[in-house]
Short mmCIF file of all heavy atoms in Angstrom, two decimals:
data_model
loop_
_atom_site.label_atom_id
_atom_site.label_comp_id
_atom_site.label_asym_id
_atom_site.label_seq_id
_atom_site.Cartn_x
_atom_site.Cartn_y
_atom_site.Cartn_z
N LYS R 347 13.34 14.96 -1.91
CA LYS R 347 13.47 15.57 -3.23
C LYS R 347 13.04 14.67 -4.38
O LYS R 347 12.77 15.18 -5.47
CB LYS R 347 14.89 16.08 -3.44
CG LYS R 347 15.96 15.01 -3.49
CD LYS R 347 17.31 15.65 -3.65
CE LYS R 347 18.39 14.57 -3.78
NZ LYS R 347 19.72 15.14 -3.85
N THR R 348 12.96 13.36 -4.18
CA THR R 348 12.55 12.48 -5.28
C THR R 348 11.07 12.07 -5.20
O THR R 348 10.58 11.34 -6.07
CB THR R 348 13.40 11.20 -5.30
OG1 THR R 348 13.23 10.49 -4.07
CG2 THR R 348 14.86 11.52 -5.54
N VAL R 349 10.35 12.54 -4.18
CA VAL R 349 8.92 12.20 -4.06
C VAL R 349 8.17 12.90 -5.20
O VAL R 349 8.26 14.12 -5.34
CB VAL R 349 8.35 12.66 -2.69
CG1 VAL R 349 6.85 12.44 -2.64
CG2 VAL R 349 9.04 11.95 -1.55
N PRO R 350 7.41 12.15 -6.02
CA PRO R 350 6.65 12.80 -7.09
C PRO R 350 5.58 13.74 -6.52
O PRO R 350 4.94 13.43 -5.53
CB PRO R 350 5.97 11.63 -7.81
CG PRO R 350 6.70 10.40 -7.37
CD PRO R 350 7.26 10.71 -6.01
N ILE R 351 5.43 14.89 -7.18
CA ILE R 351 4.44 15.89 -6.78
C ILE R 351 3.50 16.12 -7.96
O ILE R 351 3.96 16.48 -9.06
CB ILE R 351 5.10 17.21 -6.36
CG1 ILE R 351 5.93 17.02 -5.09
CG2 ILE R 351 4.03 18.30 -6.14
CD1 ILE R 351 6.72 18.23 -4.66
N ILE R 352 2.21 15.90 -7.73
CA ILE R 352 1.19 16.22 -8.73
C ILE R 352 0.47 17.47 -8.26
O ILE R 352 -0.19 17.47 -7.23
CB ILE R 352 0.17 15.06 -8.89
CG1 ILE R 352 0.85 13.80 -9.36
CG2 ILE R 352 -0.95 15.49 -9.84
CD1 ILE R 352 -0.06 12.57 -9.40
N PHE R 353 0.64 18.56 -9.00
CA PHE R 353 -0.10 19.77 -8.70
C PHE R 353 -1.52 19.60 -9.18
O PHE R 353 -1.76 19.08 -10.26
CB PHE R 353 0.51 21.01 -9.38
CG PHE R 353 1.68 21.59 -8.63
CD1 PHE R 353 2.97 21.36 -9.04
CD2 PHE R 353 1.45 22.37 -7.51
CE1 PHE R 353 4.05 21.91 -8.35
CE2 PHE R 353 2.53 22.93 -6.81
CZ PHE R 353 3.82 22.69 -7.23
N CYS R 354 -2.47 20.04 -8.37
CA CYS R 354 -3.88 19.98 -8.71
C CYS R 354 -4.44 21.36 -8.34
O CYS R 354 -4.66 21.65 -7.17
CB CYS R 354 -4.56 18.86 -7.90
SG CYS R 354 -6.20 18.50 -8.42
N SER R 355 -4.62 22.21 -9.35
CA SER R 355 -4.92 23.61 -9.07
C SER R 355 -5.99 24.19 -9.98
O SER R 355 -6.15 23.75 -11.11
CB SER R 355 -3.63 24.43 -9.22
OG SER R 355 -3.89 25.81 -9.03
N SER R 356 -6.65 25.23 -9.49
CA SER R 356 -7.63 25.95 -10.30
C SER R 356 -6.94 26.94 -11.24
O SER R 356 -7.57 27.50 -12.12
CB SER R 356 -8.63 26.68 -9.40
OG SER R 356 -7.92 27.56 -8.54
N LYS R 357 -5.65 27.17 -11.01
CA LYS R 357 -4.90 28.08 -11.89
C LYS R 357 -4.70 27.37 -13.23
O LYS R 357 -4.03 26.33 -13.29
CB LYS R 357 -3.57 28.46 -11.24
CG LYS R 357 -3.76 29.28 -9.96
CD LYS R 357 -2.48 29.50 -9.22
CE LYS R 357 -1.59 30.53 -9.82
NZ LYS R 357 -2.06 31.93 -9.77
N ASP R 358 -5.29 27.94 -14.29
CA ASP R 358 -5.36 27.20 -15.55
C ASP R 358 -4.60 27.81 -16.72
O ASP R 358 -4.76 27.40 -17.87
CB ASP R 358 -6.82 26.97 -15.95
CG ASP R 358 -7.55 28.29 -16.21
OD1 ASP R 358 -6.94 29.36 -15.99
OD2 ASP R 358 -8.71 28.23 -16.62
N GLN R 359 -3.75 28.78 -16.43
CA GLN R 359 -2.97 29.38 -17.52
C GLN R 359 -1.71 28.55 -17.81
O GLN R 359 -1.18 27.89 -16.92
CB GLN R 359 -2.55 30.80 -17.13
CG GLN R 359 -3.72 31.72 -16.81
CD GLN R 359 -4.62 31.90 -18.02
OE1 GLN R 359 -4.18 32.24 -19.10
NE2 GLN R 359 -5.91 31.63 -17.83
N ASP R 360 -1.24 28.59 -19.05
CA ASP R 360 -0.03 27.85 -19.42
C ASP R 360 1.14 28.26 -18.53
O ASP R 360 1.95 27.41 -18.13
CB ASP R 360 0.36 28.10 -20.88
CG ASP R 360 -0.60 27.40 -21.85
OD1 ASP R 360 -1.32 26.47 -21.42
OD2 ASP R 360 -0.62 27.79 -23.03
N PHE R 361 1.20 29.56 -18.19
CA PHE R 361 2.29 30.03 -17.34
C PHE R 361 2.24 29.36 -15.96
O PHE R 361 3.28 29.04 -15.40
CB PHE R 361 2.22 31.56 -17.17
CG PHE R 361 3.28 32.09 -16.28
CD1 PHE R 361 4.59 32.23 -16.73
CD2 PHE R 361 3.02 32.42 -14.95
CE1 PHE R 361 5.59 32.69 -15.90
CE2 PHE R 361 4.03 32.89 -14.11
CZ PHE R 361 5.33 33.02 -14.59
N ASP R 362 1.01 29.16 -15.42
CA ASP R 362 0.88 28.52 -14.10
C ASP R 362 1.44 27.12 -14.15
O ASP R 362 2.19 26.69 -13.25
CB ASP R 362 -0.60 28.48 -13.68
CG ASP R 362 -1.20 29.87 -13.54
OD1 ASP R 362 -0.54 30.75 -12.97
OD2 ASP R 362 -2.33 30.06 -14.02
N ARG R 363 1.09 26.37 -15.18
CA ARG R 363 1.58 25.01 -15.36
C ARG R 363 3.11 25.02 -15.49
O ARG R 363 3.80 24.26 -14.81
CB ARG R 363 0.94 24.39 -16.59
CG ARG R 363 1.42 23.01 -16.95
CD ARG R 363 0.79 22.52 -18.24
NE ARG R 363 -0.66 22.58 -18.20
CZ ARG R 363 -1.45 21.57 -17.84
NH1 ARG R 363 -0.91 20.42 -17.52
NH2 ARG R 363 -2.74 21.71 -17.82
N PHE R 364 3.61 25.89 -16.36
CA PHE R 364 5.05 25.99 -16.59
C PHE R 364 5.78 26.27 -15.27
O PHE R 364 6.77 25.64 -14.94
CB PHE R 364 5.32 27.10 -17.62
CG PHE R 364 6.77 27.48 -17.73
CD1 PHE R 364 7.63 26.71 -18.49
CD2 PHE R 364 7.27 28.60 -17.08
CE1 PHE R 364 8.97 27.06 -18.60
CE2 PHE R 364 8.60 28.95 -17.18
CZ PHE R 364 9.47 28.17 -17.94
N TRP R 365 5.28 27.28 -14.53
CA TRP R 365 5.95 27.69 -13.31
C TRP R 365 5.90 26.59 -12.26
O TRP R 365 6.90 26.35 -11.55
CB TRP R 365 5.33 28.98 -12.79
CG TRP R 365 6.15 29.65 -11.74
CD1 TRP R 365 5.78 29.91 -10.45
CD2 TRP R 365 7.50 30.12 -11.87
NE1 TRP R 365 6.82 30.52 -9.79
CE2 TRP R 365 7.88 30.66 -10.63
CE3 TRP R 365 8.42 30.14 -12.91
CZ2 TRP R 365 9.15 31.21 -10.40
CZ3 TRP R 365 9.68 30.68 -12.68
CH2 TRP R 365 10.03 31.20 -11.44
N ALA R 366 4.77 25.90 -12.12
CA ALA R 366 4.66 24.81 -11.13
C ALA R 366 5.65 23.69 -11.45
O ALA R 366 6.30 23.15 -10.55
CB ALA R 366 3.24 24.28 -11.10
N LEU R 367 5.79 23.37 -12.71
CA LEU R 367 6.73 22.31 -13.09
C LEU R 367 8.17 22.77 -12.91
O LEU R 367 9.03 21.98 -12.54
CB LEU R 367 6.44 21.82 -14.53
CG LEU R 367 5.03 21.22 -14.72
CD1 LEU R 367 4.82 20.83 -16.17
CD2 LEU R 367 4.78 20.05 -13.78
N ARG R 368 8.42 24.07 -13.12
CA ARG R 368 9.75 24.62 -12.89
C ARG R 368 10.15 24.55 -11.42
O ARG R 368 11.33 24.47 -11.08
CB ARG R 368 9.84 26.08 -13.34
CG ARG R 368 10.04 26.31 -14.79
CD ARG R 368 11.41 25.93 -15.28
NE ARG R 368 12.50 26.61 -14.61
CZ ARG R 368 13.17 27.61 -15.09
NH1 ARG R 368 12.90 28.09 -16.28
NH2 ARG R 368 14.17 28.15 -14.40
N GLN R 369 9.17 24.63 -10.54
CA GLN R 369 9.43 24.58 -9.08
C GLN R 369 9.75 23.17 -8.61
O GLN R 369 10.13 22.97 -7.47
CB GLN R 369 8.25 25.13 -8.28
CG GLN R 369 7.83 26.53 -8.64
CD GLN R 369 8.98 27.51 -8.63
OE1 GLN R 369 9.68 27.67 -7.63
NE2 GLN R 369 9.21 28.17 -9.74
N GLY R 370 9.52 22.18 -9.47
CA GLY R 370 9.83 20.82 -9.10
C GLY R 370 8.66 19.87 -9.19
O GLY R 370 8.77 18.70 -8.83
N GLY R 371 7.50 20.35 -9.63
CA GLY R 371 6.35 19.46 -9.79
C GLY R 371 6.59 18.47 -10.92
O GLY R 371 7.31 18.76 -11.87
N ASN R 372 5.98 17.29 -10.80
CA ASN R 372 6.13 16.27 -11.85
C ASN R 372 4.95 16.32 -12.85
O ASN R 372 5.12 15.93 -14.00
CB ASN R 372 6.18 14.87 -11.22
CG ASN R 372 7.39 14.73 -10.31
OD1 ASN R 372 7.35 15.09 -9.16
ND2 ASN R 372 8.47 14.21 -10.85
N ALA R 373 3.79 16.74 -12.37
CA ALA R 373 2.60 16.77 -13.23
C ALA R 373 1.69 17.90 -12.75
O ALA R 373 1.82 18.37 -11.62
CB ALA R 373 1.87 15.43 -13.17
#
Side-chain angles (χ1 to χ4, degrees):
K347 66 182 183 184
T348 60
V349 174
I351 295 175
I352 298 174
F353 277 103
C354 190
S355 177
S356 57
K357 295 172 76 69
D358 62 355
Q359 301 299 307
D360 287 343
F361 178 77
D362 299 316
R363 176 184 305 266
F364 169 81
W365 194 241
L367 298 177
R368 279 290 302 259
Q369 303 309 303
N372 298 85

